Amino acid sequence: MTTSWTAFGGDLHLDLTGRRAAGSGLRAALEDALREAVQDGRLAPGTRLPSSRALGEDLGIARNTVVEAYGQLTAEGWLTSRQGSGTTVAERAAPRRTAAAPSGPTGHPAARYDLMPGRPDVSLFPRGPWLAAARRALAVAPHEAFGYGSPRGRIELRQALTDYLARVRGVRTDPEHLVICAGFTQGLGLLCGALRERGARSLAVEAYGLPPLHAGARAAGLTTLPLPLDGSGARTDLLDGRPGAVLLTPAHQYPTGVPLTAERRAAAVGWARQHDGYVIEDDYDGEFRYDRQPLGAMQALDPERVVYAGTAAKSLAPGLRLAWLALPDALVEPVARLKQVADTMSPVLDQLTLAELITSGTYDRHVRRCRLHYRRRRDALVAALAERAPRVRVTGIAAGLHAVLRLPPTAPPEAELVQRAAAAGLAVSSLGWNRSDAALDPVAPPGLVIGYATPTDHAFPGALDALCELLRDC
């Protein structure tokens, strides 16, 4: 019977051809190849090597040649060999590489306390329920689910989201109008590409927002046109015929924390109808309102003019890379086509698991648990500042995972405060970093955007102490 290399255990790529051509004998060539693989770190300490029989079969050489090469390298200290345990790379053989210093958010040196905004407490991720949901989903998933499927996403998740979003956020959609994407960043890129195909050349954005999202829109070929903000949210009454769409955070403006009023919502939808434009509703943390029931999604005002964008990044974890778009008829096909070009489809198992988590009611219970956790965090932040830094104002509604701290005019410049925070072991973000156009808010008082979700429970009191100490003299 012909023996195939596919019949044996762990694969190991070794190229002996060049070494033999250079005049090395077969055993010497094998020793050199193995020694080099260990030296350059390709074979890490503790790596178990194939048996002499398996490696000999793979390389087409005699087993005894492999045995002799292993023996020589063991004698030199590169490998270790024990009866019944096989041959492994010796612990002391590979050079230790110096690890690069870890970096904190947005490239800052690693801080003792991470108070950067937009980040959930990933320790709350429901590992046990997620694993149980994955098992249930795998047990009933059809075989075809693991092949190439629709770029729109698995029907199980699109159906679950249709029901969930209608119940919780008032979204009017159906599975055929939903597209699952790898995070909102990808979703926005797909939307911008589809809008550009339709002739759009610009995207209106809120004067304060997340710079990477605006940069992504520009990378897709759209210029960004900042809209001023006030206590009622974005000035949608100032929209004109230039942009093809407007990107808004109506439930909880990022980062200022104000909701978009009903009049401003109606103005945005009216503009979209009049100018054949679209509103992109980024509902990034709509589940987390603490003082009252959150406002329903703006999308319900006109599903043919408002794109609803939701994500699991805040409610579960950013690492899942799961988000969704509820699209008008005219955008479903172009967005799905661009999604297929981008990455064919989103990972199936995570989609099936999230669908099971939602339909079983586990997702609702998890969100309620997180809501209570984050509300307590915010309450603690507000109380600590009121007592120990009373001249600092916490602005915005009680919602989300961050708060804006408005500082008195006599406070140091934002950049200096951020540097002082870093020296004190705090990673914080300045309000100005989120500003799209300084000319729209030239005399804005200094401010910080503080994320209160990330520190662990045992670290959060220390983070509050360090923050209050930083701001006490402001």
Side-chain angles (χ1 to χ4, degrees):
M1 181 181 69
T2 302
T3 303
S4 169
W5 68 273
T6 60
F8 296 100
D11 294 339
L12 176 60
H13 174 73
L14 295 172
D15 185 3
L16 308 184
T17 306
R19 302 175 194 277
R20 296 181 67 183
S24 297
L26 191 55
R27 173 184 155 183
L30 177 57
E31 291 174 6
D32 288 344
L34 286 167
R35 191 181 292 111
E36 182 180 295
V38 175
Q39 284 178 315
D40 66 17
R42 188 162 63 85
L43 289 178
T47 300
R48 184 167 181 171
L49 300 183
S51 68
S52 56
R53 175 170 176 260
L55 187 58
E57 289 284 351
D58 288 352
L59 298 177
I61 62 179
R63 177 184 180 184
N64 284 345
T65 301
V66 179
V67 170
E68 291 169 0
Y70 278 1
Q72 178 62 33
L73 293 176
T74 299
E76 294 176 10
W78 297 106
L79 306 179
T80 60
S81 181
R82 294 181 181 177
Q83 186 68 30
S85 299
T87 302
T88 59
V89 178
E91 286 293 332
R92 66 186 181 86
R96 296 293 182 183
R97 298 178 180 177
T98 302
S103 294
T106 65
H108 295 298
R112 183 179 181 186
Y113 301 117
D114 181 3
L115 295 179
M116 294 296 288
R119 300 167 185 270
D121 181 353
V122 291
S123 71
L124 296 179
F125 183 78
R127 295 172 185 248
W130 182 269
L131 180 59
R135 286 172 172 163
R136 292 194 300 268
L138 278 172
V140 300
H143 295 311
E144 54 87 14
F146 301 99
Y148 290 106
S150 169
R152 299 183 191 185
R154 285 299 305 175
I155 185 61
E156 294 91 341
L157 179 55
R158 288 186 283 131
Q159 184 61 64
L161 284 170
T162 295
D163 300 337
Y164 175 81
L165 294 174
R167 171 170 56 86
V168 174
R169 302 296 294 128
V171 173
R172 296 160 52 193
T173 191
D174 59 59
E176 296 307 308
H177 288 82
L178 282 169
V179 171
I180 309 302
C181 43
F184 177 64
T185 300
Q186 184 190 55
L188 181 61
L190 298 175
L191 282 168
C192 289
L195 291 168
R196 184 160 175 80
E197 287 182 356
R198 290 175 53 85
R201 292 297 176 264
S202 58
L203 174 72
V205 298
E206 296 161 327
Y208 284 83
L210 199 59
L213 292 181
H214 300 172
R218 291 190 291 271
L222 300 181
T223 58
T224 52
L225 305 174
L227 279 176
L229 289 167
D230 61 19
S232 298
R235 291 289 307 274
T236 55
D237 55 311
L238 299 180
L239 285 166
D240 56 29
R242 291 180 297 164
V246 56
L247 173 63
L248 300 172
T249 49
H252 185 220
Q253 201 284 321
Y254 185 87
T256 65
V258 298
L260 193 65
T261 63
E263 293 77 14
R264 297 279 175 86
R265 291 179 175 218
V269 172
W271 164 83
R273 290 168 177 165
Q274 180 181 353
H275 295 280
D276 191 25
Y278 292 96
V279 177
I280 302 172
E281 178 180 13
D282 179 7
D283 197 34
Y284 67 99
D285 64 1
E287 304 95 336
F288 300 118
R289 180 77 185 256
Y290 311 128
D291 58 344
R292 50 162 287 178
Q293 185 176 5
L295 295 174
M298 183 176 170
Q299 184 261 9
L301 296 176
D302 192 340
E304 288 305 311
R305 286 297 162 192
V306 182
V307 176
Y308 177 86
T311 175
K314 305 298 186 293
S315 59
L316 287 170
L320 289 179
R321 307 313 302 146
L322 279 175
W324 41 89
L325 303 173
L327 297 162
D329 278 331
L331 294 179
V332 172
E333 187 280 328
V335 168
R337 174 170 42 80
L338 291 173
K339 168 68 176 174
Q340 187 163 35
V341 171
D343 60 5
T344 305
M345 51 190 272
S346 294
V348 165
L349 181 54
D350 288 343
Q351 292 185 66
L352 295 174
T353 303
L354 180 55
E356 172 62 27
L357 211 67
I358 292 172
T359 56
S360 68
T362 306
Y363 185 73
D364 283 86
R365 293 190 291 274
H366 171 72
V367 169
R368 286 196 294 272
R369 175 189 172 213
C370 292
R371 189 182 296 130
L372 179 60
H373 176 78
Y374 294 138
R375 177 179 181 173
R376 288 172 174 167
R377 285 286 182 92
R378 188 181 190 278
D379 289 348
L381 171 67
V382 172
L385 291 172
E387 178 183 354
R388 299 165 61 183
R391 297 189 64 196
V392 175
R393 291 188 302 116
V394 180
T395 62
I397 60 174
L401 312 183
H402 74 276
V404 173
L405 309 188
R406 292 283 188 174
L407 309 176
T410 55
E414 289 179 348
E416 181 180 335
L417 271 175
V418 171
Q419 290 179 347
R420 289 188 189 182
L426 287 169
V428 301
S429 175
S430 68
L431 183 59
W433 183 79
N434 299 275
R435 187 163 50 188
S436 302
D437 187 344
L440 294 176
D441 200 5
V443 293
L448 297 178
V449 186
I450 299 297
Y452 45 78
T454 302
T456 60
D457 282 341
H458 74 270
F460 189 59
L464 286 184
D465 289 342
L467 180 65
C468 290
E469 185 69 22
L470 173 74
L471 299 176
R472 185 176 56 184
D473 298 331
C474 290

